[in-house]
Amino acid sequence: MILVALLSGGDYAPDGLKGFGAKIACEAARAGFGKSLCKISRSDEGGLAMWRNNLTHEIQTNESKFFKTKHKSLIIPDDFPSRDILGYYTHPVVSSATKIEKLKDEIIWDGEVDVRGLRDYVKEAFDWTNKGGAKKFVRNLAPALLVHKLRLRANRRDSGYGDIILTQMDEMEYVREICGRREHFSMDGSPELRVVFPPLDIVGLSLEEEYDDSEDYGRDGLAPVNDDDQIEAYVSEEEAPTSKRVTPPYDPTKPDKAWIPETIAKLGVPLKVEDYEE
């Protein structure tokens, strides 16, 4: 992940390297260039130069088939990576043990999320207004809030858990079903389960309280936009493919899918996990 951030852009160097997107950066990371970089001493100029040469060679020739295609125009600068930025990732500044213990005592880690406050914030900060903005809010918050609620359920297993039927009904409020399992590199290979969940119920927001601005826009002069507010390219009838897959607009009232850590699922909806494993 450090190499992905260095190449495609991260917190300390948002621009990354010219021409390197997340896709190429992830391919380089999977090829082991991130691990080999972190093993090189910051003072080892020869080792860093050799690492740059190897990465440049593979990117431009794709000799070892690490990449889907050659990228002859991409160049690794001689000053890459920045020693300072690399150090921020490999040796981050962390709090002392004393301060961590103090934070544990002072911060309410298991408190309820202020959904209403967050809704007001995104209205102001991101201009996510009206019903369209509320749907974006639900779409972005629901997966994280689901994980938060499932984790909290592990600490509240003293009510209704003696009755398996009640427990199953209770779990259905959070997860309708589990439909997949993976160990993805983006999570360092940690097992994840794909769950089907009700986003609007998880967030607990009432769309009826939001102004519906969908009726305010006609077709006179306005370009159609997709769900991410990007203008859709015009395609003539002659150019249009015979079978074009149409993605329906996001509907928070319908079940959605998300990948969550398997450990969280086992804590929050153990019966669902058992059913899936069987």
Side-chain angles (χ1 to χ4, degrees):
M1 296 305 293
I2 292 177
L3 182 61
V4 173
L6 291 170
L7 289 174
S8 62
D11 292 339
Y12 303 118
D15 295 334
L17 290 186
K18 183 178 180 180
F20 283 86
K23 187 175 180 180
I24 299 176
C26 286
E27 290 174 343
R30 281 195 294 266
F33 285 101
K35 289 183 179 180
S36 61
L37 173 63
C38 291
K39 292 179 180 178
I40 302 173
S41 171
R42 294 174 63 182
S43 60
D44 186 359
E45 294 290 345
L48 287 170
M50 183 178 296
W51 178 86
R52 282 192 296 268
N53 291 336
N54 290 339
L55 178 55
T56 301
H57 175 75
E58 289 294 344
I59 288 176
Q60 294 182 348
T61 66
N62 200 22
E63 181 178 300
S64 302
K65 307 301 180 185
F66 292 142
F67 304 89
K68 288 190 176 181
T69 184
K70 299 177 184 179
H71 302 279
K72 296 182 179 180
S73 62
L74 294 184
I75 298 174
I76 308 295
D78 292 338
D79 59 351
F80 180 85
S82 164
R83 308 297 193 278
D84 291 337
I85 293 177
L86 179 59
Y88 296 154
Y89 286 115
T90 57
H91 298 82
V93 177
V94 297
S95 302
S96 65
T98 303
K99 188 171 183 179
I100 290 175
E101 289 302 319
K102 184 179 179 182
L103 288 173
K104 287 181 179 179
D105 295 334
E106 293 180 349
I107 297 179
I108 304 175
W109 296 100
D110 293 340
E112 295 295 328
V113 176
D114 184 4
V115 173
R116 187 70 257 173
L118 286 174
R119 176 69 188 108
D120 293 337
Y121 172 78
V122 298
K123 280 183 182 179
E124 180 70 24
F126 305 141
D127 199 27
W128 289 2
T129 58
N130 305 327
K131 187 169 288 188
K135 290 181 179 180
K136 285 185 181 181
F137 174 68
V138 172
R139 188 175 194 176
N140 284 273
L141 180 63
L145 196 55
L146 171 64
V147 170
H148 176 70
K149 290 187 173 184
L150 292 181
R151 187 182 65 80
L152 293 183
R153 278 174 55 80
N155 300 328
R156 303 171 182 173
R157 305 183 70 88
D158 56 347
S159 176
Y161 282 90
D163 189 317
I164 191 170
I165 301 299
L166 289 178
T167 302
Q168 289 175 331
M169 293 174 61
D170 191 48
E171 289 187 1
M172 280 289 290
E173 295 182 8
Y174 299 88
V175 173
R176 301 292 167 80
E177 64 175 312
I178 298 174
C179 59
R181 186 181 188 275
R182 72 177 185 179
E183 296 179 6
H184 200 258
F185 77 92
S186 64
M187 291 290 289
D188 280 344
S190 298
E192 296 175 282
L193 295 177
R194 197 176 196 196
V195 300
V196 179
F197 68 101
L200 193 59
D201 293 344
I202 293 298
V203 175
L205 193 71
S206 175
L207 292 181
E208 299 303 320
E209 298 177 1
E210 304 283 346
Y211 175 69
D212 188 357
D213 55 352
S214 61
E215 301 287 330
D216 295 350
Y217 301 95
R219 295 190 57 83
D220 25 337
L222 290 179
V225 296
N226 59 25
D227 196 52
D228 294 321
D229 283 347
Q230 300 296 317
I231 297 178
E232 296 179 354
Y234 171 76
V235 180
S236 67
E237 294 183 1
E238 293 79 14
E239 297 173 329
T242 55
S243 58
K244 181 181 179 181
R245 181 181 177 184
V246 178
T247 302
Y250 177 72
D251 185 352
T253 64
K254 295 182 179 179
D256 199 4
K257 296 178 181 179
W259 290 101
I260 67 172
E262 185 178 69
T263 52
I264 296 295
K266 287 182 175 180
L267 289 173
V269 285
L271 296 183
K272 286 290 184 185
V273 176
E274 290 178 10
D275 290 344
Y276 173 75
E277 292 177 342
E278 292 177 357

